[in-house]
Amino acid sequence: MSRSEEKYRKLLEAMPDAFAYHQVLYDADENPVDYIFLEINDAFEKLTGLKREKVIGKKVTEVHPDIGESEFDWIGVYGKVANDGETIRFEQYFEPDDRWYDVSAFSDEQGYFAVSFREITLQKNENLALARLVGVSQEVLNFPAGDISYQVISDRLLELSGAKFAGINVYDHEKGTSVTMAISGLSDNIRKVVALLGFELVGKAWDIIPERVNAIKEGRLLQFGNIYDSASGALSKKMAVILERIFGIGKVYVIEIGYEGETIGDLIIFMPRYKTISNPQVIELYAAQVGFALMRYQVEEELRISWDQYQSLTDNLPGTSYRCLYDEQWTMIYMSSDIDNITGYPSSDFINNKVRSYASVICKDDNDNDEIIKEAINAGENWDIEYRVIHSDGSIRWVHEKGRAVTDVRGNVAYIDGLLLDISDRKKIEEALKESELRHRALVEAIPDLLFRYNEAGEYLDVVVKDAGQLHQKARELYRQDELIGKSLFEVLPETTARTIVNGIKEAISTGEMQFIEYSFPVGERNYYYEARLAPIGHTEVVSIVRNITERINYQTELERISLHDGLTGLFNRHYFDIELGRLGLSRDYPITIISADLDGLKLVNDTLGHSEGDSYLQNGASILKNTLRISDILARVGGDEFAIILPRTDRETAVELVKRMQAGIARFNQDNTGLPISISIGYAVSESSDRPLEEVYKEADNNMYKDKLKRGQQARADIVGALVATLSKRNDLGEGNRKEVEKLAKEFGRYLQLDETKLENLILLSKVYDIGKVNMPDRLVHSSLYLEEGKFTDAEKETIRRHPEIGFRIASSSPELVGVAELIMYHHERFDGSGYPLGLKGEEIPLECRILAIVTAYSSMISSQTDGKKLKPNEALTAIKNNTGSHFDPKLVDAFLKHKQGDTRQGDRDLSVQ
């Protein structure tokens, strides 16, 4: 291809597909290793986002450095096209762009090739989604006849939609309800939270709302912005907001499950925040397949019920018909074959008493029925009796007999016709009912909830109370005096509560359905919350089970509080701050001031004193800010050490005064408290009107805070270090020698060694603060030494002791006065043989000042007091130090120290090479 031909260039620029022309680069073995971009068209720039000036003349490995890591050998394939001159077309995923392309490649000259391509990512994803839909639909449509798994339908919907939760509702148009059959995506923790909120899910029946049904019919896949709108009033707004916050739910989608114009249910999809459904067509197709499966299931279910009814009719035709003589043996002339179900014997056994008589199987204790039959015959009436028979297996069966005598013309009994029904099951049920009645009576008396029975006027008819303390004060008094029955609710409870219950009673009686109501009133010093379930008894009475739901309401309130508050300081959290920022941005509360405040030195406190002390430091800072503000001001902890304050109706002049009060409050706190000094960097900004977004105002306040931090940050850390040093000065004996004695010994020994001025100053300062890392260590450990008490500590305690040089290093590094000895503090527990800590330095890798301090602190510790309460004499201490020469201590320094302590002041004999 000639790049100079203008007409071809114009043709290429007009192409709708992306086009590029390349030259292949080869290695010494003529293998393609790269290719260069020679030409591209506008479509290429638009599709890839790569501009001409960034591409032309560049190697593909420069434009796409990761191309060599692709599973597809792009360079090799295109090299073959340029070599062989063949034309190929293929579809391939391109990892660097995360896209699928339909590619055509061809060559017009050896070593060169051209490609034209277009993106097919959407088609590929749709094909994959459709392929998944085919598998899912086949699973749904292949449910066994008469059996359907709503949970599987819901689970597959969750997979297809990428939702957080998904569910299926089935409509019962006769009852006007929609029942939630299954929900997917619920973890055990979520189920527990939902149960505590008193919000049942699977099996929950909702009223069908015609407007909602019409909307999903017209809108196919209907989208709602939140749970409350999707529930169409079935949920309270407060409950919906709580569910959204706890479970992170954003948009809600509902789609009709229909078949031939009839809506039989819906699929509901709860998406995570900020996400939408990417494949709505697939969901619509899936809903259609579910509709077909549900309709088939309903038809099969109707057929099954019809068959069961038919079977029940045939199986329950009146039992055994008979005709017998009126004699003592009840000799059977005819008896239907069903008698074997009652007695276990065939009817032929009883005909003419061939094997046995019917009288022989009747329990002898029940023969008193003969008198009843005789009286009925004399009166020309039918009889209706019950008695027991002995089955062939020895069991007892109950029989209900209806019979009448047939007389001849002279009035004599010719025979008896009758019907025998096996009522054994009914007798068992009657016995069970008696037992059940006793159990229910015991259950009612044992139930922990309050139980009341009212008439339609709201008067007490019956009361079952286990804990009278749950009753309202007046009700409790009347109950204990046995005067509650017959009283009206309005005579017993506060009017508002009584009105709520009476309205619920009327609604239950008029609709014939259970009503759920909630109310509250004070019991003692607490406010109690109750849930009442009002179930109608006929058309004039209602039974009410009342449960104390105070714990649930308090838990719900606490959940809401936790979602908006910081657990450590009790202030509002970042989430609440963002909500209020958005709300006030639309309000009329201008001018609005925003303050950004940052607690200085928190990291230093955490690193040196631990997070417990850091938490206390945070709480003190939060308390100072809170005590400065007005009730209407909004204070939130928006980060680890960051606070933000919104001041409605606050102009710049007032804001300045408020910041001054904050700074005065900080100064007052530091003056009144001997602990760590508080330092807070503060910045503010003011918005006069809603023309300027409050987010920008907050950013300005934050920037101003950082300017303030630059001024005070170093000083804040220095103040904290100063407080730590002051604390250290109160702890004289820290287990590494008497601090004043160590300082004196170090100064004398350093001068004896004739250290230069800098090293001597460092040694003297080190002798004062070497143990600053122990400033917050427990007393048991701070007065201990790993060297002298090696077997005394647990591993955790050893680790705490070993960390104090590092802590001391961090403290000293934050102080301009101590930064010069920070590293010396880090190394002051290293041993000459390398067995020390924290780095295991050995020999002269250890700074001279630290090697000197090791001898001085050991000597001071031994002559002051051992951990077992014994002191060593100076000569004994020197001997112990000499015994550890080469292990703990520098031999040359030990030798010099021995001479120094033994009074050798001859300068000419000193070995000063230790410096």
Side-chain angles (χ1 to χ4, degrees):
M1 175 185 297
S2 174
R3 291 180 291 150
S4 63
E5 296 181 26
E6 187 63 27
K7 64 177 182 179
Y8 289 114
R9 179 183 296 277
K10 291 181 178 180
L11 180 62
L12 289 177
E13 294 303 330
M15 285 177 62
D17 289 348
F19 174 85
Y21 190 63
H22 307 278
Q23 178 185 357
V24 178
L25 300 179
Y26 300 91
D27 61 13
D29 297 324
E30 296 299 320
N31 294 318
V33 294
D34 212 331
Y35 54 86
I36 298 174
F37 287 85
L38 299 178
E39 185 59 78
I40 62 173
N41 65 353
D42 289 347
F44 181 97
E45 289 186 307
K46 292 177 182 176
L47 180 58
T48 66
L50 298 172
K51 298 299 182 182
R52 177 182 300 274
E53 59 270 16
K54 299 292 185 180
V55 172
I56 300 301
K58 300 285 186 180
K59 297 177 183 178
V60 71
T61 54
E62 295 176 327
V63 177
H64 296 296
D66 298 334
I67 194 168
E69 299 175 10
S70 173
E71 292 184 8
F72 185 76
D73 185 8
W74 293 94
I75 295 174
V77 170
Y78 287 151
K80 191 173 186 305
V81 170
N83 235 18
D84 299 346
E86 63 176 316
T87 298
I88 61 171
R89 181 173 180 177
F90 57 94
E91 293 180 358
Q92 184 58 44
Y93 175 67
F94 189 56
E95 286 94 335
D97 288 351
D98 189 23
R99 297 178 181 174
W100 279 88
Y101 292 114
D102 180 0
V103 183
S104 294
F106 54 93
S107 175
D108 66 336
E109 182 181 347
Q110 190 169 19
Y112 295 84
F113 71 93
V115 291
S116 64
F117 56 96
R118 56 190 177 87
E119 185 181 359
I120 57 170
T121 305
L122 181 60
Q123 299 93 310
K124 275 288 184 180
N125 289 341
E126 288 178 351
N127 290 341
L128 290 173
L130 288 171
R132 178 61 183 145
L133 174 64
V134 169
V136 168
S137 298
Q138 192 169 8
E139 181 181 11
V140 170
L141 295 174
N142 286 339
F143 285 133
D147 187 18
I148 192 165
S149 173
Y150 293 103
Q151 190 60 53
V152 168
I153 292 173
S154 177
D155 290 346
R156 299 302 172 263
L157 175 62
L158 190 74
E159 295 172 16
L160 289 172
S161 63
K164 194 158 193 178
F165 309 104
I168 178 171
N169 299 310
V170 174
Y171 295 171
D172 184 335
H173 290 286
E174 290 185 5
K175 294 181 179 179
T177 59
S178 166
V179 179
T180 301
M181 307 302 294
I183 290 184
S184 300
L186 298 179
S187 66
D188 290 342
N189 287 336
I190 291 176
R191 294 179 191 277
K192 289 177 183 177
V193 171
V194 170
L196 284 170
L197 292 174
F199 183 73
E200 299 175 359
L201 295 171
V202 177
K204 173 78 172 178
W206 315 81
D207 291 337
I208 291 178
I209 301 172
E211 294 81 4
R212 175 188 168 100
V213 175
N214 293 335
I216 63 174
K217 268 190 171 184
E218 295 174 3
R220 301 173 73 186
L221 184 60
L222 196 62
Q223 174 182 312
F224 297 93
N226 51 61
I227 293 178
Y228 177 73
D229 292 341
S230 72
S232 301
L235 277 177
S236 70
K237 193 158 191 175
K238 184 176 182 181
M239 177 64 76
V241 170
I242 289 174
L243 292 174
E244 287 172 6
R245 288 177 181 166
I246 293 175
F247 303 137
I249 296 172
K251 288 184 169 54
V252 181
Y253 295 84
V254 181
I255 186 169
E256 177 196 28
I257 302 174
Y259 187 80
E260 295 186 352
E262 180 183 356
T263 301
I264 56 180
D266 63 58
L267 300 175
I268 186 163
I269 301 165
F270 301 90
M271 297 299 291
R273 286 198 188 110
Y274 315 119
K275 288 192 177 181
T276 58
I277 288 182
S278 60
N279 50 352
Q281 297 85 357
V282 170
I283 301 302
E284 291 172 4
L285 289 171
Y286 180 64
Q289 298 297 327
V290 172
F292 179 80
L294 289 186
M295 183 56 68
R296 187 190 71 176
Y297 168 73
Q298 289 182 5
V299 170
E300 290 169 349
E301 185 69 6
E302 289 173 1
L303 287 173
R304 185 189 65 78
I305 292 172
S306 176
W307 172 255
D308 288 347
Q309 290 173 342
Y310 170 77
Q311 196 71 26
S312 176
L313 179 63
T314 57
D315 290 345
N316 290 283
L317 286 173
T320 301
S321 58
Y322 71 87
R323 174 170 287 182
C324 70
L325 299 177
Y326 183 39
D327 59 15
E328 291 184 358
Q329 299 302 317
W330 296 92
T331 302
M332 294 294 166
I333 301 172
Y334 163 79
M335 184 172 257
S336 65
S337 61
D338 291 339
I339 189 62
D340 65 342
N341 293 326
I342 298 175
T343 65
Y345 303 113
S347 59
S348 57
D349 279 12
F350 300 106
I351 302 301
N352 296 319
N353 303 327
K354 181 179 179 180
V355 178
R356 58 184 56 79
S357 67
Y358 182 66
S360 69
V361 299
I362 298 175
C363 288
K364 293 179 181 179
D365 294 341
D366 294 348
N367 282 331
D368 56 351
N369 285 322
D370 290 348
E371 280 300 315
I372 298 174
I373 294 172
K374 184 177 180 179
E375 291 175 6
I377 290 174
N378 291 335
E381 298 174 346
N382 296 341
W383 62 84
D384 198 331
I385 59 176
E386 294 179 357
Y387 53 87
R388 295 169 295 166
V389 299
I390 304 171
H391 193 271
S392 63
D393 62 10
S395 63
I396 301 297
R397 300 291 178 91
W398 277 92
V399 173
H400 182 190
E401 178 180 322
K402 290 184 177 182
R404 66 183 180 86
V406 179
T407 58
D408 57 20
V409 292
R410 292 186 292 276
N412 297 321
V413 177
Y415 49 84
I416 293 172
D417 285 337
L419 185 67
L420 305 176
L421 299 174
D422 187 344
I423 60 169
S424 301
D425 291 340
R426 194 193 79 192
K427 281 291 185 180
K428 290 179 182 177
I429 292 172
E430 288 176 356
E431 289 298 321
L433 284 174
K434 289 180 181 178
E435 293 180 7
S436 177
E437 184 178 350
L438 293 174
R439 285 197 301 271
H440 286 164
R441 185 177 301 167
L443 284 172
V444 167
E445 292 177 355
I447 193 170
D449 298 328
L450 305 173
L451 191 146
F452 303 105
R453 187 162 58 90
Y454 306 110
N455 62 19
E456 56 187 341
E459 296 173 341
Y460 290 89
L461 302 179
D462 201 358
V463 178
V464 177
V465 175
K466 281 289 173 283
D467 180 8
Q470 297 282 343
L471 297 172
H472 189 267
Q473 182 178 354
K474 189 171 183 180
R476 186 164 62 249
E477 294 171 358
L478 291 170
Y479 174 76
R480 287 172 176 169
Q481 296 167 9
D482 202 19
E483 296 179 0
L484 188 56
I485 304 301
K487 290 289 191 293
S488 167
L489 283 162
F490 290 98
E491 298 177 86
V492 176
L493 299 177
E495 183 177 356
T496 303
T497 304
R499 179 66 59 195
T500 299
I501 298 174
V502 168
N503 289 341
I505 292 171
K506 291 179 179 178
E507 187 70 15
I509 291 175
S510 65
T511 63
E513 297 179 353
M514 183 180 293
Q515 301 297 311
F516 297 83
I517 60 174
E518 292 184 5
Y519 55 87
S520 66
F521 52 71
V523 176
E525 296 181 357
R526 294 179 58 193
N527 205 42
Y528 279 70
Y529 297 85
Y530 296 91
E531 176 190 76
R533 300 187 177 198
L534 304 169
I537 306 176
H539 300 290
T540 58
E541 295 181 6
V542 165
V543 64
S544 173
I545 296 177
V546 180
R547 173 165 296 177
N548 186 331
I549 61 169
T550 304
E551 183 178 352
R552 191 188 86 195
I553 295 297
N554 290 341
Y555 180 78
Q556 182 175 318
T557 303
E558 180 64 12
L559 274 178
E560 187 173 358
R561 189 194 70 79
I562 289 173
S563 70
L564 299 176
H565 287 77
D566 171 52
L568 177 63
T569 63
L571 303 179
F572 291 118
N573 58 19
R574 180 60 183 259
H575 179 60
Y576 184 84
F577 175 78
D578 290 340
I579 291 173
E580 287 300 290
L581 208 61
R583 180 184 69 82
L584 289 168
L586 302 175
S587 72
R588 298 180 180 178
D589 290 333
Y590 286 89
I592 294 175
T593 293
I594 298 179
I595 294 177
S596 177
D598 193 275
L599 194 60
D600 301 318
L602 178 62
K603 185 177 187 304
L604 176 60
V605 175
N606 281 331
D607 289 347
T608 58
L609 303 183
H611 285 275
S612 176
E613 193 69 30
D615 289 346
S616 177
Y617 189 63
L618 259 171
Q619 289 166 337
N620 286 336
S623 179
I624 292 170
L625 294 175
K626 185 177 180 181
N627 292 337
T628 310
L629 300 176
R630 304 163 299 189
I631 295 177
S632 60
D633 299 334
I634 299 164
L635 170 60
R637 182 186 176 197
V638 296
D641 54 4
E642 301 170 23
F643 301 90
I645 308 167
I646 307 176
L647 309 170
R649 300 182 183 275
T650 303
D651 57 21
R652 189 172 301 275
E653 183 179 349
T654 306
V656 170
E657 290 300 318
L658 187 60
V659 170
K660 288 180 180 178
R661 287 207 306 273
M662 286 182 182
Q663 293 166 338
I666 295 168
R668 199 162 43 248
F669 176 88
N670 292 336
Q671 184 178 352
D672 296 341
N673 293 273
T674 58
L676 294 177
I678 298 294
S679 174
I680 302 177
S681 298
I682 300 172
Y684 72 93
V686 181
S687 178
E688 300 294 339
S689 70
S690 59
D691 294 341
R692 185 184 180 196
L694 290 182
E695 289 78 5
E696 290 185 8
V697 181
Y698 178 42
K699 287 180 182 178
E700 182 186 342
D702 211 37
N703 290 335
N704 291 336
M705 179 274 293
Y706 278 111
K707 293 176 184 177
D708 189 44
K709 180 175 281 291
L710 290 174
K711 299 177 184 177
R712 69 176 61 250
Q714 185 63 36
Q715 183 59 46
R717 290 192 295 274
D719 290 345
I720 292 172
V721 172
L724 296 177
V725 172
T727 302
L728 179 66
S729 66
K730 299 174 184 177
R731 306 180 76 170
N732 188 44
D733 183 4
L734 297 181
E736 298 178 24
N738 183 289
R739 194 166 56 82
K740 291 183 179 180
E741 177 70 19
V742 168
E743 182 182 346
K744 178 176 177 291
L745 286 169
K747 185 185 297 184
E748 291 175 351
F749 189 33
R751 287 174 177 167
Y752 176 80
L753 293 173
Q754 294 185 346
L755 298 180
D756 63 51
E757 185 177 346
T758 300
K759 277 187 167 52
L760 182 61
E761 288 178 357
N762 286 343
L763 176 61
I764 295 171
L765 180 57
L766 177 63
S767 68
K768 296 178 180 179
V769 296
Y770 64 91
D771 49 11
I772 193 171
K774 288 187 174 183
V775 69
N776 202 43
M777 192 181 290
D779 284 344
R780 177 179 177 276
L781 302 183
V782 85
H783 296 295
S784 304
S785 169
L786 285 176
Y787 297 145
L788 300 178
E789 306 168 75
E790 189 67 37
K792 178 180 177 181
F793 307 103
T794 65
D795 289 343
E797 288 172 335
K798 288 179 182 178
E799 182 61 26
T800 299
I801 295 172
R802 289 178 181 275
R803 287 188 64 245
H804 83 268
E806 300 172 43
I807 294 173
F809 171 78
R810 285 197 290 269
I811 295 173
S813 296
S814 298
S815 170
E817 292 82 1
L818 302 180
V819 69
V821 295
E823 286 196 5
L824 299 180
I825 293 173
M826 170 76 86
Y827 304 141
H828 83 275
H829 267 292
E830 299 289 354
R831 294 184 180 180
F832 196 75
D833 63 358
S835 63
Y837 59 88
L839 301 180
L841 301 180
K842 63 188 299 184
E844 294 186 2
E845 292 176 347
I846 306 169
L848 175 61
E849 295 93 323
C850 297
R851 284 179 275 149
I852 294 172
L853 185 70
I855 296 172
V856 169
T857 54
Y859 179 78
S860 173
S861 178
M862 286 187 280
I863 66 171
S864 297
S865 175
Q866 294 279 33
T867 54
D868 58 5
K870 297 178 180 179
K871 294 183 181 180
L872 296 182
K873 296 178 180 179
N875 287 337
E876 293 173 331
L878 292 174
T879 300
I881 288 174
K882 186 176 181 180
N883 291 338
N884 284 281
T885 298
S887 56
H888 289 29
F889 310 119
D890 183 337
K892 294 180 181 179
L893 285 176
V894 169
D895 184 55
F897 187 70
L898 293 176
K899 292 177 179 178
H900 165 61
K901 296 308 294 179
Q902 290 167 359
D904 184 356
T905 59
R906 293 171 297 166
Q907 183 170 334
D909 291 340
R910 299 180 199 171
D911 182 1
L912 301 182
S913 62
V914 294
Q915 298 186 46

